[in-house]
Amino acid sequence: MNSSIQMLSTKVLSALAFGAIAVIGATNPAQAFDFKMTSGIAGPNGELNQGAFSEFYALEGTTTVDFNDGKLPTGDVFASYSFSNNSNKSSVRANKWAPTYASLEAGDSDVLQANKNDSNYLAVFKGNDVVIDLAEDLNYFGINWGAAHSGNTYSFFKGDTLLQAFSTTDIEEAGGFQHYNTKHGGRGMGSKDGAQGNGYAHFYAESDAELFDRIVISQVGGGGFETDNHSFHVGSGGFTGFNPEVSSQAVPEPGMMLGLMGIFGGAMLKRKKQA
Ligand SMILES: [Ca+2]
Ligand SMILES: [Ca+2]
């Protein structure tokens, strides 16, 4: 298949999968945009039961939404959330499906144990979308993604232009999730041996042309899209947080240093998406 046909078919598939919003964007050329999966870090005070947080939580220019007040942030705020279609009662809630942070079991250096997340998180159900409108241009969005299902879909926009969309398939193809939570039931894509995928996903721009100001989180088809601890980084140009030289100069505190050591020292999943 030549590249122009491949590009066309990718666009057609994207349009089919992501619905009306993506159809508008699919007429624009897709651009490079990247992601990595990591473990994330424990809560700001070392909490294990709040899900995973971004390794860039304390980086200057980063704002984090933890949903712990039980509400969707709306109105005149940095990141304003709204449901564009809420036929299936998507909401901020707390239950056993909350995304998890995993730590090593005592005495075992190999086995990651998921710690139940007792906090409120955002759940999006079949056919529903959450639109996040940003007050400024971002070059990074991080998210604790848990109880993964096929059809969990992220779309990144600048205005009405779709820059890139990602789904569970992209994570699976890049090597899978950071841990699979045996305390959840459920199967399907994003699960392994009946345990569902959890981890911290980092999506980021690699140039000025990829800065974004709107994110759409959609559940295409059955299942739920469970996320917590959304981190937004304002910036111009590509996100440099994963550049070891920049990170070593910018790291503000020991907790973040540990997190970054985890990123650079541990296995990292990466897949460049280009069309
Ligand atoms: Ca939370
Ligand atoms: Ca799910």
Side-chain angles (χ1 to χ4, degrees), residues 13 15 27 47 68 95 119 123 139 147 150 157-158 166 194 198 227 259 272:
L13 286 172
T27 59
E47 304 95 332
N68 289 355
N95 60 27
S119 77
N139 61 7
S150 57
F157 293 85
K158 173 66 176 173
F166 297 91
N198 286 253
T227 66
K272 188 174 292 278

Side-chain angles (χ1 to χ4, degrees), residues 66 68 119-120 228-229:
D66 65 16
N68 289 355
S119 77
N120 286 305
D228 203 354
N229 305 323

Side-chain angles (χ1 to χ4, degrees), residues 9-275:
S9 64
T10 300
K11 287 177 180 176
V12 171
L13 286 172
S14 296
L16 288 172
F18 305 136
I21 292 173
V23 169
I24 296 167
T27 59
N28 297 292
Q31 298 167 61
F33 203 96
D34 213 349
F35 75 88
K36 296 185 197 301
M37 290 293 294
T38 71
S39 59
I41 57 176
N45 299 304
E47 304 95 332
L48 300 177
N49 68 340
Q50 302 285 304
F53 284 73
S54 174
E55 286 87 344
F56 304 106
Y57 177 85
L59 184 67
E60 186 176 359
T62 299
T63 302
T64 297
V65 172
D66 65 16
F67 302 101
N68 289 355
D69 66 1
K71 298 174 192 163
L72 204 64
T74 57
D76 188 20
V77 292
F78 168 75
S80 182
Y81 289 65
S82 58
F83 291 109
S84 69
N85 168 15
N86 196 11
S87 55
N88 281 311
K89 297 190 169 73
S90 299
S91 69
V92 175
R93 59 182 63 199
N95 60 27
K96 70 172 184 175
W97 302 106
T100 49
Y101 172 71
S103 51
L104 291 171
E105 283 185 326
D108 191 327
S109 60
D110 297 325
V111 178
L112 281 171
Q113 183 69 44
N115 302 286
K116 183 173 178 287
N117 180 350
D118 294 321
S119 77
N120 286 305
Y121 69 96
L122 176 64
V124 179
F125 297 113
K126 182 179 180 180
N128 297 171
D129 300 321
V130 167
V131 179
I132 311 172
D133 284 306
L134 288 317
E136 298 180 62
D137 286 350
L138 302 184
N139 61 7
Y140 167 88
F141 175 60
I143 189 166
N144 185 195
W145 181 2
H149 271 98
S150 57
N152 291 179
T153 305
Y154 301 89
S155 303
F156 294 87
F157 293 85
K158 173 66 176 173
D160 289 331
T161 301
L162 176 67
L163 296 173
Q164 190 64 271
F166 297 91
S167 71
T168 316
T169 306
D170 295 301
I171 306 302
E172 293 293 306
E173 290 180 354
F177 285 80
Q178 189 262 345
H179 67 279
Y180 290 82
N181 190 342
T182 54
K183 291 171 184 166
H184 291 159
R187 290 183 180 275
M189 183 174 286
S191 70
K192 195 157 95 177
D193 300 327
Q196 293 186 318
N198 286 253
Y200 204 89
H202 310 262
F203 300 95
Y204 56 98
E206 294 189 299
S207 72
D208 262 334
E210 296 166 11
L211 300 179
F212 52 94
D213 60 9
R214 188 158 57 100
I215 303 164
V216 179
I217 292 177
S218 311
Q219 175 57 30
V220 179
F225 194 166
E226 290 83 9
T227 66
D228 203 354
N229 305 323
H230 298 183
S231 276
F232 306 90
H233 185 262
V234 173
S236 58
F239 181 65
T240 56
F242 287 107
N243 177 333
E245 291 176 13
V246 173
S247 297
S248 66
Q249 294 164 9
V251 168
E253 59 183 47
M256 185 174 170
M257 180 67 93
L258 283 173
L260 288 169
M261 285 170 64
I263 289 180
F264 295 116
M268 198 159 62
L269 307 174
K270 174 175 178 172
R271 176 168 179 258
K272 188 174 292 278
K273 290 204 62 173
Q274 287 180 315

